[in-house]
Amino acid sequence: MATSYLLRCSSLVAVLVLLFSIGMTEGAIREYQFDVQMTNVTRLCSSKSIVTVNGQFPGPTVFAREGDLVVVRVVNHVPYNMSIHWHGIRQLRSGWADGPAYITQCPIQSGQSYVYKFTITGQRGTLWWHAHISWLRATVYGAIVGLPGPLYNCSAKDTFKLKVQPGKTYMLRIINAALNDELFFSIAGHPLTIVDVDAVYIKPITVETILITPGQTTNVLLTTKPSYPGATYYMLAAPYSTARSGTFDNTTVAGILEYEDPASPSPAAFNKNLPVLKPTLPQINDTSFVANYTGKLRSLATAEYPADVPREVDRRFFFTVGLGTHPCAVNGTCQGPTNDTRFAASVNNVSFVLPTTALLQAHFTGRSNGVYSPNFPAAPLVPFNYTGTPPNNTNVSNGTKLVVLPYGASVELVLQGTSIQGAESHPLHLHGFNFFVVGQGFGNFDPVKDLARYNLVDPVERNTVGVPAAGWVAIRFRADNPGVWFMHCHLEVHVSWGLKMAWLVLDGDRPNEKLLPPPSDLPKC
């Protein structure tokens, strides 16, 4: 139990990379030192040695303002390869600092170091950082955890308590850093007003429960009771899943919201004998709640914060995302859906294979032969009833294939979930860009009827979006950032099975439209 918790306890977290708006034209330099090291951590009365940054679990918070240059020196003191991804940072022309191993850089080997440098441009709000190699982001990320709470044995000292005063409004910065769990989150007796998702302002909406997928961030306003309520309140997070493969953790984590007691002789003291109220969360597979919730999110779309949605489209893509199978090795045994198969995952039936040389390096040096091919399919090669009865052959192909885009192209991408090995939701994260979620629905995408219902006025802008179980989502973005950009499911188990691909955006004609040269300390493979 303790081991599984230590690998899972990054369920719901707050405060990672905090970006603040500022009117100054010149930014500051924000320097950080990240020492990657082994550290003993105790949870639920059990200790385990885990990989951490600076001996902290979760790791340190990075603060920056728009226009700041962030400089982070990462030194790897552990026997594992390491890389750090700055989740949601646009990395304009600085793809060398994006972080996914073998995509934009070779990993930082044991005993080596690398300095990540990037400028915060046009972003404000809450983002985060995490390891982007193997499963190491289980413990290598920056956050303040929502700990397991009183619902676990031996968890009293691990229960997170948010202490508040009556009649005040607090902003909670919420991030889902879980490996494989989409999460419902609610605070008993306290509606939450959402003002920001993925570091982009939205039209404020007030809800009882939020849904947040791995990789997503949500800023909410919490207004406390006008006077001392004589009670304390559970904050609960529990998984949302339609999966049948048992790859998620069906448990609930809890924190406690406590009010200062004005009758207490000490203003910091709290009454331990009050009733504790508990919120009601949706059922684990409540797809209708999820659809209604995500459908309410709208960009602010004001003169100051416009929704610059591409109205005309230069390139259209249709990607199926879902599970599949690989045959077992000869004389091998597998734990897949049948004894002679193992689970796989793919985009357009291509299960992505990581190269042994970083894709961005291969592209920049003109040595891409044998590293990747630029022929990722724009649509499934063999169409089928994506959300209906699965085809008899569920095997997927392997490959390291990229989509190549000219600089400045406006792109529309429809992500279609499939029912192969069961219909599941897939939180898809695109590196290097924000995108607009112009449409979503259940069933198979209809290019006539569904296109007519697109929201091109104020669609929500994100960097991570959930592809609905047995449904589809349509996004648009402008390819205005040269480099190689990873796109993948943010469920770690699906990433390990191959549900990932990459986009190559070519240089533009102007000097400010070209990828900068690599830094001198770029790690070598």
Side-chain angles (χ1 to χ4, degrees):
M1 174 64 190
T3 299
S4 66
Y5 171 69
L6 282 169
L7 294 177
R8 179 195 67 77
C9 67
S10 51
S11 291
L12 196 74
V13 299
V15 191
L16 284 166
V17 180
L18 305 186
L19 309 179
F20 302 98
S21 179
I22 189 170
M24 297 171 58
T25 56
E26 254 184 66
I29 299 177
R30 309 275 181 170
E31 296 188 70
Y32 294 86
Q33 174 86 10
F34 277 20
D35 287 301
V36 181
Q37 60 195 68
M38 302 302 297
T39 304
N40 284 328
V41 171
T42 300
R43 291 287 189 275
L44 306 180
C45 297
S46 181
S47 295
K48 184 176 178 64
S49 181
I50 63 173
V51 182
T52 67
V53 169
N54 297 351
Q56 302 174 38
F57 177 59
T61 301
V62 173
F63 296 89
R65 294 184 182 273
E66 288 187 81
D68 285 355
L69 173 65
V70 178
V71 179
V72 185
R73 183 172 186 264
V74 178
V75 183
N76 187 5
H77 302 281
V78 301
Y80 314 108
N81 286 344
M82 178 56 61
S83 71
I84 302 291
H85 171 51
W86 313 93
H87 187 112
I89 298 293
R90 284 291 314 274
Q91 299 289 2
L92 291 171
R93 303 176 62 215
S94 58
W96 308 104
D98 191 44
Y102 301 106
I103 304 297
T104 60
Q105 67 167 93
C106 297
I108 307 167
Q109 298 179 30
S110 180
Q112 302 298 312
S113 65
Y114 180 45
V115 179
Y116 292 91
K117 295 181 181 180
F118 52 90
T119 300
I120 307 299
T121 305
Q123 294 183 273
R124 83 279 321 154
T126 307
L127 296 172
W128 63 306
W129 60 265
H130 59 81
H132 211 300
I133 183 170
S134 186
W135 289 58
L136 288 174
R137 77 172 180 88
T139 60
V140 181
Y141 63 90
I144 296 173
V145 172
L147 295 166
L151 306 184
Y152 291 81
N153 292 329
C154 196
S155 64
K157 68 177 182 179
D158 291 327
T159 299
F160 173 73
K161 295 180 179 179
L162 177 62
K163 300 179 180 182
V164 298
Q165 296 176 346
K168 294 186 179 295
T169 298
Y170 298 82
M171 185 165 75
L172 309 183
R173 301 174 184 268
I174 303 168
I175 296 171
N176 186 344
L179 290 178
N180 295 306
D181 290 329
E182 300 185 60
L183 293 167
F184 297 118
F185 174 77
S186 183
I187 302 177
H190 292 77
L192 304 172
T193 300
I194 307 170
V195 294
D196 173 303
V197 296
D198 289 0
V200 179
Y201 295 136
I202 68 166
K203 292 180 173 69
I205 59 170
T206 300
V207 298
E208 299 294 330
T209 301
I210 71 168
L211 171 78
I212 186 165
T213 77
Q216 289 183 340
T217 72
T218 303
N219 286 0
V220 301
L221 299 180
L222 166 70
T223 299
T224 57
K225 306 291 185 184
S227 58
Y228 181 67
T232 55
Y233 303 86
Y234 270 141
M235 303 183 288
L236 296 185
Y240 160 66
S241 178
T242 60
R244 298 183 303 185
S245 55
T247 57
F248 64 96
D249 187 350
N250 184 15
T251 57
T252 300
V253 293
I256 294 178
L257 181 76
E258 289 186 332
Y259 280 77
E260 288 187 7
D261 186 352
S264 171
S266 169
F270 293 84
N271 189 334
K272 309 285 186 188
N273 301 314
L274 297 174
V276 181
L277 305 182
K278 185 177 180 181
T280 300
L281 294 174
Q283 294 296 308
I284 188 171
N285 60 351
D286 195 339
T287 55
S288 61
F289 173 91
V290 173
N292 289 334
Y293 172 83
T294 55
K296 294 176 183 177
L297 303 178
R298 294 284 188 269
S299 286
L300 203 54
T302 62
E304 187 177 5
Y305 301 104
D308 187 19
V309 189
R311 297 302 184 98
E312 303 297 325
V313 174
D314 299 316
R315 300 285 300 275
R316 280 191 163 87
F317 299 90
F318 182 85
F319 290 178
T320 56
V321 294
L323 305 186
T325 55
H326 279 317
C328 272
V330 177
N331 298 325
T333 58
C334 293
Q335 295 181 334
T338 62
N339 289 335
D340 59 348
T341 62
R342 57 187 174 90
F343 281 110
S346 68
V347 181
N348 273 356
N349 208 50
V350 179
S351 186
F352 190 85
V353 178
L354 281 177
T356 55
T357 300
L359 297 177
L360 184 59
Q361 203 166 355
H363 160 67
F364 188 83
T365 59
R367 300 174 182 172
S368 61
N369 285 345
V371 179
Y372 67 83
S373 58
N375 60 346
F376 190 89
L381 299 180
V382 181
F384 60 98
N385 183 2
Y386 308 112
T387 58
T389 302
N392 292 328
N393 183 2
T394 61
N395 284 345
V396 301
S397 63
N398 289 330
T400 309
K401 300 181 179 183
L402 278 62
V403 172
V404 180
L405 294 172
Y407 182 90
S410 57
V411 177
E412 178 180 301
L413 170 62
V414 175
L415 295 160
Q416 173 71 63
T418 75
S419 59
I420 298 175
Q421 307 303 333
E424 294 190 35
S425 174
H426 298 281
L428 263 290
H429 172 50
L430 175 60
H431 292 224
F433 300 93
N434 280 356
F435 50 75
F436 293 95
V437 183
V438 296
Q440 60 183 353
F442 291 113
N444 295 340
F445 174 74
D446 186 316
V448 177
K449 294 179 181 178
D450 292 326
L451 190 66
R453 291 195 286 262
Y454 277 4
N455 174 13
L456 301 179
V457 177
D458 61 351
V460 68
E461 183 179 351
R462 308 208 70 139
N463 62 59
T464 305
V465 66
V467 181
W472 58 272
V473 64
I475 65 174
R476 287 187 179 183
F477 66 95
R478 201 173 305 280
D480 58 358
N481 195 6
V484 176
W485 304 107
F486 209 20
M487 188 178 78
H488 58 91
C489 182
H490 225 279
L491 302 181
E492 205 67 24
V493 64
H494 293 169
V495 176
S496 68
W497 289 347
L499 210 166
K500 48 197 174 185
M501 55 83 63
W503 305 79
L504 167 57
V505 179
L506 301 175
D507 282 348
D509 296 329
R510 300 182 180 89
N512 65 348
E513 297 173 349
K514 299 181 186 300
L515 177 68
L516 295 172
S520 59
D521 65 337
L522 186 71
K524 294 178 173 56
C525 289

